[in-house]
Amino acid sequence: MIGKTFLTAFNEEYAQNYSAKDFFEKIYFELFFNHPKYMQWITNSPFVQMKKGQKAALLSPEERLEKLHALYDKAENETADASFAIGYPASESKDFASTSGMVSDIEILTDEEDVYYSWIGSGLGAGVAGGYNLLMNDAAILLYIYEGWKYYRNCLNDPLLDRIRGNQINTWNGQWLTYRLGKSFNPDFRISDLEDEKIISLSTNVIEVDTINWPNLFFSLSNLYPEKILTTYVYSHGQTNTTIGFIPFYLKSGIRLKDVWRYLYGDPGKFNNREFQSLFGLNIKRACELGNIGMQALRPEKLKEHMKKSINSLFKKENEIIIYQTYKTWLVAMLSKNKQEIMDYTIEVAELIQRYRKNASGTERKNLIELRLFGDKSNKKGFIDALTEMIKELEGDDLQKLRELKNEVHLMTNEEFGYFNTLLKFDYAFIEKTNY
């Protein structure tokens, strides 16, 4: 399906009428395999099955063509299997069936074109950290990925980059698509820009394409489609093939987080920074277990760990301020209350709580705040009971605000209370550290 969607879009965009085999021969083979460094390594395929003494990097042009024709012969004359049709089960006739699962005994007819479509589709997967690829059945996205193929080939052929690894096309696709749709894209980029953008990394022995974190790609896709639900196929092909399945990506969640950031902290420039964006998001497999990729999946990975920390141990280092900003942005976006109100409200309440603590000697109020309002076992009832004790000692505006808070907490769901209490705790800790 992906190969067909792409080729239809390609023929329209470039005024061509290629069949899948035409495209494979004239473009795919020429970019991916007709060079000393391959862009893709498909286990057991004709391109990696070497005769005695052969190595991919040392093949002559004639030997590479010979492997291309070996693929043609298989596609024309053999029943499709994993050795030459990407994503298909292993061949039963060659006793490789033990490496395949969920194979149907219903005969599915596969014509020659389908074989080449499978190769084209395999080259369009976008790799993300965790060892998974994303396939997006969207013509515009697939054309953007195709646009990046030539740049990866140029890198592999550049004599100044002779240490660069081949066979990383899916990893490259993930990085390229993130960069191409991101706010920092420069059409006249240089190799040094790719290093600055953390697309490639250089070491003494090797230059390689780094794997992108899926939230970085998610935020870039949201720039292209701010309101779209993008159904994405999540899978992994390697020694064993793994399929997670079709997962909806709610791209508006990326825009929502950015809007919250803009209100809280102004210029979204820092938000567009890759290192900052990568602080969001669960592990890709865990995120997919939620059933969709949206705000819940974008929860910062270490938020729960910080939720369990005491007030005194939160945000003690300067570099943890960015963590606070990340967590606050997500928590505000998750709360169902009017977003603008909640952004200001929790800071106001945190300031009130700080005033309450400072207007007393001894540790009684400090313990009430740290152990009962924000303690490890804090729950709605305990929180309201603590507020009730505080109300007895307040008057004026502070008394009215705390009464309103008690009533609002009472109406919150347990999930909303968990987010609200964490946000309030973080704001309080931040004020304590910075003398806000």
Side-chain angles (χ1 to χ4, degrees):
M1 179 183 289
I2 298 296
K4 290 181 180 180
T5 298
F6 166 75
L7 190 56
T8 299
F10 174 88
N11 283 332
E12 182 177 338
E13 178 72 15
Y14 296 98
Q16 299 292 338
N17 191 31
Y18 287 161
S19 66
K21 183 176 181 180
D22 290 337
F23 181 87
F24 186 89
E25 179 178 350
K26 296 175 182 177
I27 295 180
Y28 201 95
F29 169 73
E30 291 298 330
L31 280 172
F32 278 62
F33 299 111
N34 200 17
H35 300 269
K37 280 187 179 178
Y38 287 176
M39 287 169 57
Q40 182 182 40
W41 191 269
I42 302 298
T43 303
N44 294 325
S45 72
F47 294 110
V48 304
Q49 291 177 338
M50 301 295 168
K51 297 177 181 178
K52 185 175 181 181
Q54 283 187 336
K55 292 184 177 181
L58 301 177
L59 294 175
S60 67
E62 292 76 20
E63 287 173 319
R64 288 196 288 268
L65 282 174
E66 182 181 304
K67 296 188 182 299
L68 173 64
H69 287 288
L71 175 65
Y72 288 166
D73 182 65
K74 285 178 174 288
E76 183 178 356
N77 299 307
E78 296 185 17
T79 301
D81 66 53
S83 70
F84 66 93
I86 315 304
Y88 283 62
S91 171
E92 291 188 11
S93 62
K94 297 177 182 176
D95 298 324
F96 296 142
S98 61
T99 64
S100 300
M102 305 297 286
V103 179
S104 172
D105 62 358
I106 299 173
E107 185 175 355
I108 299 174
L109 297 178
T110 302
D111 64 26
E112 190 177 349
E113 282 286 277
D114 289 332
V115 172
Y116 300 111
Y117 278 128
S118 76
W119 281 83
I120 296 167
S122 74
L124 292 165
V128 295
Y132 288 92
N133 296 324
L134 312 180
L135 276 176
M136 292 156 279
N137 192 29
D138 180 275
I141 291 172
L142 297 176
L143 286 173
Y144 279 125
I145 293 175
Y146 165 74
E147 179 188 347
W149 287 356
K150 63 177 181 252
Y151 291 103
Y152 183 44
R153 171 46 62 197
N154 290 342
C155 288
L156 294 180
N157 289 355
D158 190 332
L160 297 177
L161 299 174
D162 61 319
R163 291 180 288 120
I164 192 169
R165 281 181 56 193
N167 307 316
Q168 285 193 282
I169 185 57
N170 295 125
T171 303
W172 170 266
N173 289 343
Q175 284 281 13
W176 168 258
L177 191 57
T178 302
Y179 179 52
R180 180 65 180 81
L181 299 179
K183 296 295 185 180
S184 61
F185 176 66
N186 174 10
D188 300 317
F189 70 88
R190 297 172 297 179
I191 294 299
S192 58
D193 296 324
L194 299 184
E195 186 180 5
D196 293 341
E197 289 288 326
K198 303 293 193 298
I199 294 174
I200 62 173
S201 60
L202 285 68
S203 65
T204 304
N205 299 319
V206 68
I207 301 170
E208 61 184 348
V209 182
D210 292 328
T211 312
I212 195 69
N213 292 300
W214 73 260
N216 293 125
L217 177 54
F218 184 92
F219 286 119
S220 287
L221 289 168
S222 71
N223 293 331
L224 179 65
Y225 293 127
E227 296 291 328
K228 189 164 188 174
I229 301 173
L230 183 67
T231 301
T232 302
Y233 181 67
V234 184
Y235 70 99
S236 174
H237 282 173
Q239 289 185 334
T240 58
N241 295 342
T242 303
T243 296
I244 288 183
F246 293 94
I247 305 294
F249 278 49
Y250 287 80
L251 298 178
K252 63 182 178 181
S253 297
I255 300 300
R256 185 173 169 186
L257 281 169
K258 190 176 293 188
D259 287 343
V260 171
W261 171 273
R262 185 180 289 106
Y263 180 85
L264 287 170
Y265 306 113
D267 181 9
K270 183 185 289 186
F271 190 97
N272 293 322
N273 178 276
R274 283 193 178 206
E275 291 183 4
F276 177 81
Q277 290 181 354
S278 66
L279 294 174
F280 291 96
L282 305 173
N283 171 278
I284 183 63
K285 185 177 180 181
R286 174 71 185 92
C288 289
E289 288 172 358
L290 296 172
N292 65 73
I293 301 294
M295 197 63 70
Q296 285 279 12
L298 286 164
R299 190 191 79 202
E301 183 77 53
K302 295 186 177 180
L303 176 59
K304 277 195 171 180
E305 176 185 318
H306 273 72
M307 288 170 67
K308 296 177 182 178
K309 288 185 177 181
S310 68
I311 291 288
N312 296 326
S313 63
L314 284 172
F315 315 124
K316 287 298 183 183
K317 300 176 182 177
E318 288 299 326
N319 62 359
E320 285 193 313
I321 298 303
I322 192 67
I323 296 175
Y324 160 77
Q325 292 175 327
T326 309
Y327 294 172
K328 174 154 187 171
T329 300
W330 185 83
L331 287 164
V332 168
M334 278 300 298
L335 287 165
S336 60
K337 186 178 177 178
N338 177 280
K339 298 302 178 293
Q340 184 166 328
E341 288 180 8
I342 200 68
M343 293 172 198
D344 299 325
Y345 184 62
T346 53
I347 283 289
E348 290 176 4
V349 173
E351 289 173 337
L352 188 163
I353 295 171
Q354 188 191 46
R355 287 196 300 273
Y356 169 81
R357 184 184 65 78
K358 285 186 174 181
N359 291 335
S361 57
T363 61
E364 185 176 344
R365 291 188 178 184
K366 179 176 181 291
N367 290 338
L368 183 146
I369 293 167
E370 295 183 4
L371 300 179
R372 295 176 61 185
L373 279 181
F374 302 131
D376 288 345
K377 299 180 180 179
S378 179
N379 54 37
K380 274 180 63 175
K381 183 180 182 305
F383 188 89
I384 291 173
D385 288 346
L387 290 181
T388 302
E389 287 194 30
M390 293 172 64
I391 284 172
K392 296 175 183 178
E393 303 180 61
L394 294 175
E395 57 185 26
D397 288 344
D398 284 353
L399 173 60
Q400 184 61 30
K401 284 182 181 178
L402 223 56
R403 279 177 174 167
E404 292 173 359
L405 172 61
K406 182 169 73 73
N407 293 335
E408 290 183 15
V409 169
H410 178 71
L411 295 174
M412 289 179 183
T413 66
N414 288 332
E415 182 181 30
E416 285 176 329
F417 171 74
Y419 294 144
F420 177 83
N421 191 29
T422 300
L423 176 56
L424 186 57
K425 172 184 173 181
F426 286 174
D427 279 341
Y428 180 81
F430 180 71
I431 289 171
E432 286 283 283
K433 173 177 173 54
T434 60
N435 295 315
Y436 183 83

